[in-house]
Amino acid sequence: EVVMELVRHNGTHLDFASDLLRADKEVVLEAVREDFRALEFASNLLRADKEVVLEVVRQDGSALRLASDALRADRAVVLEAVMGDWSTLRLASDTLRADKEVVLEAVRQDGRALVLASDALRDDTEVVMEAVRHHGSQHLIPLLQWASDAFRERFFDFISQADRVVVLEALQRDGRALRLASDVLRADKEVVLEAVRQNVTAFEFASDALRADKEVVLEA
């Protein structure tokens, strides 16, 4: 009862409990509800207990680092963690970093999560475009640097009309992204105009024909 009262007020006081109480699920749950960091002092058995760890990662996704290897490979636990903190994807098992649903959840929180995904998902059109859409249009160049080489090579070529809007919005934020475009889009007047309006240095990446276009030159 004394320990229960202590951890209700300060979960990290679990550090002073006996091994027996650190292995008591009721005590540990009380402690982690007060302070997720108390998981550090729980027994190995309870750091591998799904109910306990879910309680912790709902408070702070980064607490996944305190969980057992088995739970860092548990889909439900990792999904809960990345919903709260996209960067915890780095703590997940290789299998879950290659899980499309998990990675999509992470990149919806922050496009930078793309760098933590498996090679296969960094080459996945849906995943990369989701990363660009979510906090990504102003950071298009670094996002594409985190995508696979193959994806970057084809990025501007496969764009559907809907995705083209995303790219134009990105160029409005960072005209330098034109340097990553295909020859077809470097010769696209609308695309080039958007780029040079945002950053005049994008002019050097336009096609020869558009660098001789009066409207484009005046815009630059």
Side-chain angles (χ1 to χ4, degrees):
E1 286 300 320
V2 173
V3 172
M4 286 291 280
E5 194 61 33
L6 282 172
V7 299
R8 282 193 188 106
H9 289 88
N10 187 332
T12 61
H13 282 164
L14 185 65
D15 185 24
F16 305 113
S18 66
D19 290 345
L20 185 64
L21 288 177
R22 291 186 191 196
D24 185 301
K25 187 169 180 176
E26 185 181 2
V27 171
V28 170
L29 276 171
E30 198 69 44
V32 298
R33 283 172 183 145
E34 198 287 320
D35 189 328
F36 72 88
R37 294 172 298 178
L39 184 61
E40 182 178 354
F41 309 115
S43 67
N44 289 337
L45 187 65
L46 288 180
R47 288 171 67 175
D49 184 287
K50 189 169 181 175
E51 181 185 359
V52 172
V53 173
L54 279 171
E55 185 69 41
V56 168
V57 297
R58 284 180 184 130
Q59 292 182 50
D60 191 311
S62 67
L64 185 63
R65 71 185 186 279
L66 302 173
S68 67
D69 290 343
L71 288 182
R72 285 161 66 172
D74 184 285
R75 198 164 185 272
V77 171
V78 172
L79 268 173
E80 197 71 44
V82 299
M83 286 170 66
D85 182 349
W86 63 270
S87 69
T88 59
L89 184 60
R90 75 186 187 280
L91 302 170
S93 66
D94 290 345
T95 299
L96 289 179
R97 288 167 68 176
D99 184 298
K100 189 167 181 175
E101 183 183 353
V102 171
V103 172
L104 279 171
E105 186 60 50
V107 299
R108 284 174 185 140
Q109 305 302 318
D110 194 305
R112 290 173 295 175
L114 184 63
V115 73
L116 303 173
S118 67
D119 290 345
L121 289 181
R122 284 163 54 206
D123 191 48
D124 184 284
T125 299
E126 182 183 0
V127 171
V128 178
M129 288 306 298
E130 199 68 30
V132 171
R133 290 188 182 100
H134 291 270
H135 314 291
S137 58
Q138 68 270 44
H139 302 299
L140 182 62
I141 289 175
L143 277 171
L144 290 183
Q145 288 173 345
W146 295 331
S148 69
D149 291 343
F151 187 96
R152 283 200 304 275
E153 287 172 4
R154 72 177 190 271
F155 177 75
F156 285 99
D157 290 322
F158 70 71
I159 299 169
S160 66
Q161 196 57 39
D163 289 333
R164 185 184 179 82
V165 173
V166 174
V167 173
L168 285 169
E169 288 176 355
L171 290 170
Q172 288 170 3
R173 293 174 180 271
D174 189 347
R176 295 170 302 155
L178 186 64
R179 70 181 172 84
L180 298 171
S182 65
D183 291 342
V184 172
L185 284 188
R186 292 188 192 196
D188 183 308
K189 189 169 180 176
E190 181 186 7
V191 169
V192 171
L193 281 171
E194 286 295 349
V196 298
R197 282 174 186 143
Q198 198 285 325
N199 191 321
V200 295
T201 63
F203 180 73
E204 68 177 290
F205 306 118
S207 67
D208 291 343
L210 288 181
R211 288 207 305 271
D213 183 284
K214 184 176 180 179
E215 184 180 359
V216 173
V217 171
L218 287 172
E219 196 67 48

